[in-house]
Amino acid sequence: MRFSLISAIATLGSVVMAQPVARTASSQQVVDDLSVLTKKAQDLQAPANSLSIFNAPGLLLGQGPWTQFGEKECTDITGTFRGFVSVNQAYLNILIGKTGSIGKIPFVDPPMSASLTAVKGTYDALSNQIIKLCPSTAQELTLALKYLDETLDHAIKAYQPVGKN
């Protein structure tokens, strides 16, 4: 198993994104999703135990034997990342479109803006780690991240309380 910040960030991202999903899911779906997150966290225990003073700095520097993929893998990762960006942009555009009907309600805007800001931080961290893993497609990945960030910024701004836009 490759141990990297990507695993940890992806798990965190799943938790951050679980908030809106949990509100539309059945109780069994919530149980299943929590079980997946628990398994992912458990899978990180063995690699975490293997960390030492010698290999731990590689996690922070994006270096080490587990942190780069070949061109074919990067092409696959980049295609999947583009799909991830597209699906998230569609979701965010739906939320942006809802600002006319649910936006500017005092108890809706601050939590929505805060949640979207947390999502952006998680997505940026995840994306930056993926870019480090795939130097052969870094330019394409960076462009996709730019588009995702622009949509997230627009969504965050749409839900900021009046006077903070």
Side-chain angles (χ1 to χ4, degrees), residues 34-131:
L34 284 172
S35 295
V36 168
L37 292 174
T38 301
K39 173 76 170 108
K40 287 182 182 211
Q42 187 176 27
D43 289 346
L44 291 173
Q45 291 175 2
N49 277 327
S50 73
L51 289 175
S52 70
I53 193 166
F54 302 106
N55 65 9
L59 295 173
L60 301 175
L61 302 173
Q63 299 173 349
W66 54 81
T67 57
Q68 291 204 348
F69 294 106
E71 192 168 330
K72 186 200 177 318
E73 291 100 345
C74 287
T75 300
D76 294 343
I77 289 168
T78 300
T80 302
F81 185 73
R82 281 194 315 264
F84 171 82
V85 168
S86 178
V87 167
N88 276 278
Q89 285 179 306
Y91 164 70
L92 291 165
N93 283 324
I94 291 169
L95 290 179
I96 292 165
K98 295 289 182 178
T99 59
S101 58
I102 65 169
K104 309 306 175 228
I105 299 171
F107 58 87
V108 171
D109 286 349
M112 182 69 83
S113 180
S115 293
L116 291 169
T117 300
V119 166
K120 181 179 180 187
T122 302
Y123 283 2
D124 283 350
L126 174 64
S127 301
N128 287 321
Q129 287 298 315
I130 291 171
I131 290 166

